[in-house]
């Protein structure tokens, strides 16, 4: 009997948060494998803010087509193979899509499936989080920020998957690290557990004064995940010749608003602003993952996950990123 594959298919482009009817649960038959292909059973899906962008518009990747399985990174296990590269039992990561089974092919560079090793102290989900796209993004973003001992680093969305790791890398480099996050619980986690020097809840009315108090020497590096008002305030406290690592502008993703800010502080403070997209660093992923793995093993970085159970809950999980319902890396357990 042929096997069925449950998938979330994009039916319409979201207007704000993901609404019922934007992604529809559908069933398709798992196709017969051709030579060179393997069938991987998806275990975990990475839930990333960029998915909301992929649902709506062309960006650094084309928008997902209407009627296509929604694009997503995933961790999967090979269950059948006609490929020389992937054998039964191999664990892989790549663009699996929001579905239970993915047909993978080592020649398909766009979906970029790679085998991951069994490392005793690492959970499988680490390959989507601390050693996956978000950990790697924090690593290369902080490389762009070029932190020096004693400098002040401010990270926005600081209790999220990327921000929480970026801030801890700042601590490794000897920076004073201040995180901006949207709940007191998140602020407590990043200061008490992760070692940030201070945290500011941007939902409190006096957050701008609190940010000023937390950055008495001004700000040398801004690891920016949010954009809009949060970024505007951080830029106003930047020191001359500071660096702005433009990682994300999540405050604009659901609003069709670019989340941009006034450039006057960039000019007056002579700031260096650099945007980056993690896929440009693909040739150095192994080097960075090795370093992140060492830091994790020696307790220099800690990570946390928000795991949502069930493929059908993926739209809710995507929305959590925009309502702040997640802490650390957000995953769907399929
Ligand atoms: N450049 C790249 O290659 C690359 C790669 C990966 C991720 N990113 C970017 O990095 C950022 C973080 O991604 P992530 O995967 O690590 O997600 P995440 O930080 O785990 O989750 C997103 C967080 O953003 C915060 N947020 C949402 N809307 C906000 C708003 N309007 N104002 C302020 N904060 C808001 C929420 O926390 P609060 O409770 O604190 O509001 C939420 O928990 C995103 O901008 C993403 O696009 C970029």
């Amino acid at each position: 009997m042929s096997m069925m594959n449950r998938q979330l298919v994009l039916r319409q482009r979201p207007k704000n948060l993901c609404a019922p009817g934007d992604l529809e649960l559908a069933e398709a038959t798992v196709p017969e494998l051709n030579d060179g292909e393997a069938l991987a059973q998806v275990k975990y899906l990475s839930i990333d803010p960029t998915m909301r962008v992929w649902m709506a518009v062309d960006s650094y990747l084309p928008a997902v087509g209407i009627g296509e399985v929604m694009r997503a990174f995933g961790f999967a296990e090979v269950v059948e193979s006609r490929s020389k590269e992937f054998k039964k039992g191999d664990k892989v990561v790549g663009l699996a899509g929001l579905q239970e089974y993915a047909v993978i092919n080592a020649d398909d560079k766009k979906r970029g499936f790679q085998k991951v090793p069994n490392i005793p102290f690492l959970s499988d989900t680490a390959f989507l989080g601390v050693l996956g796209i978000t950990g790697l993004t924090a690593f290369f973003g902080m490389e762009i920020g070029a932190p020096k001992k004693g400098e002040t680093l401010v990270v926005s969305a600081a209790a999220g998957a990327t921000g929480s790791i970026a801030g801890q890398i700042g601590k490794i480099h000897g920076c004073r690290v201040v995180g901006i996050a949207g709940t007191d619980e998140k602020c407590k986690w990043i200061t008490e557990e992760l070692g940030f020097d201070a945290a500011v809840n941007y939902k409190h009315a006096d957050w701008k004064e609190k940010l000023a108090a937390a950055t008495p020497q001004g700000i040398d590096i801004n690891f920016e995940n949010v954009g809009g008002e949060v970024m505007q305030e951080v830029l106003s406290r930047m020191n001359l010749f500071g660096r702005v690592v433009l990682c994300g502008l999540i405050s604009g993703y659901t609003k069709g608003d670019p989340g941009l800010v006034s450039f006057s502080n960039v000019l007056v403070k002579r700031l260096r602003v650099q945007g980056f997209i993690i896929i440009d660093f693909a040739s150095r992923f192994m080097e960075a993952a090795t370093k992140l793995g060492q830091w994790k093993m020696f307790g220099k970085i800690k990570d946390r996950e928000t795991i949502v159970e069930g493929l059908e809950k993926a739209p809710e999980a995507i929305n959590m990123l925009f309502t702040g319902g997640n802490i650390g890396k957000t995953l769907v357990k399929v």
Side-chain angles (χ1 to χ4, degrees):
M1 205 179 74
S2 51
M3 254 162 64
M4 297 308 286
N5 186 13
R6 290 195 317 146
Q7 307 173 312
L8 279 165
V9 171
L10 184 66
R11 290 291 177 218
Q12 60 195 16
R13 306 210 180 276
K15 296 208 164 45
N16 190 290
L17 292 176
C18 288
D22 293 347
L23 289 169
E24 186 186 67
L25 199 58
E27 283 208 350
T29 310
V30 173
E32 293 291 321
L33 296 180
N34 295 312
D35 281 342
E37 291 179 341
L39 183 67
Q41 185 175 14
V42 181
K43 303 283 185 185
Y44 290 94
L45 289 158
S46 173
I47 301 297
D48 299 292
T50 195
M51 292 167 74
R52 175 60 182 74
V53 180
W54 293 340
M55 289 171 81
V57 290
D58 292 334
S59 56
Y60 60 96
L61 288 180
V64 174
I66 299 295
E68 286 178 9
V69 175
M70 180 57 206
R71 187 186 294 141
F73 285 97
F75 173 93
E77 217 169 291
V78 174
V79 288
E80 204 183 315
S81 181
R82 291 184 62 182
S83 153
K84 289 196 189 88
E85 286 80 4
F86 301 118
K87 60 177 196 310
K88 192 172 171 188
D90 280 349
K91 294 174 171 184
V92 294
V93 289
L95 279 173
L98 294 183
Q99 56 184 344
E100 291 174 334
Y101 291 94
V103 175
I104 66 174
N105 185 328
D107 294 334
D108 181 356
K109 301 294 176 218
K110 282 192 180 155
R111 290 166 73 217
F113 271 94
Q114 293 195 349
K115 277 192 269 193
V116 295
N118 272 313
I119 301 178
F121 69 91
L122 283 179
S123 65
D124 291 342
T125 52
F127 294 100
L128 295 177
V130 61
L131 302 192
I133 289 298
T134 41
L136 295 166
T137 299
F139 182 92
F140 289 109
M142 284 303 295
E143 189 175 275
I144 291 168
K148 291 188 215 57
K149 194 166 189 264
E151 288 188 325
T152 298
L153 162 72
V154 171
V155 182
S156 56
T162 308
S164 59
I165 305 295
Q168 292 178 87
I169 295 174
K171 286 308 303 173
I172 290 169
H173 287 283
C175 293
R176 171 174 175 78
V177 179
V178 179
I180 303 178
T183 68
D184 292 345
E185 183 198 354
K186 291 182 183 188
C187 289
K188 195 165 179 251
W189 178 57
I190 61 177
T191 49
E192 292 184 8
E193 301 275 327
L194 304 189
F196 283 47
D197 297 282
V200 175
N201 181 344
Y202 72 93
K203 290 187 178 159
H204 289 176
D206 61 349
W207 76 272
K208 293 179 183 173
E209 291 80 37
K210 291 268 166 60
L211 180 67
T215 55
Q217 311 292 329
I219 300 168
D220 302 294
I221 309 166
N222 170 209
F223 192 106
E224 188 53 50
N225 287 318
V226 168
E229 196 192 353
V230 169
M231 184 178 183
Q232 191 69 57
E233 191 59 23
V234 173
L235 290 191
S236 75
R237 295 201 50 74
M238 293 294 294
N239 292 327
L240 286 185
F241 304 105
R243 287 88 73 198
V244 178
V245 181
L246 193 47
C247 176
L249 294 167
I250 195 170
S251 67
Y253 297 172
T254 56
K255 298 179 192 147
D257 161 353
L260 293 180
V261 297
S262 153
F263 260 55
S264 58
N265 278 309
V266 175
L267 172 66
V268 174
K269 306 279 182 69
R270 289 84 123 182
L271 305 179
R272 177 164 65 78
V273 182
Q274 186 173 336
F276 73 105
I277 297 291
I278 188 57
I279 50 182
D280 297 339
F281 292 87
S283 64
R284 295 184 51 208
F285 280 0
M286 194 54 82
E287 170 204 334
T290 305
K291 192 78 211 165
L292 288 159
Q294 285 168 356
W295 282 335
K296 180 163 163 64
M297 187 169 70
F298 292 112
K300 292 195 167 181
I301 50 179
K302 296 181 184 159
D303 59 330
R304 184 163 164 177
E305 296 168 338
T306 298
I307 298 185
V308 175
E309 301 249 352
L311 175 69
E312 64 288 350
K313 296 269 178 60
E316 283 171 43
I318 296 171
N319 285 344
M320 285 167 78
L321 301 173
F322 298 93
T323 57
N326 68 313
I327 298 191
K329 177 70 200 171
T330 306
L331 300 160
V332 162
K333 186 168 187 221
V334 179

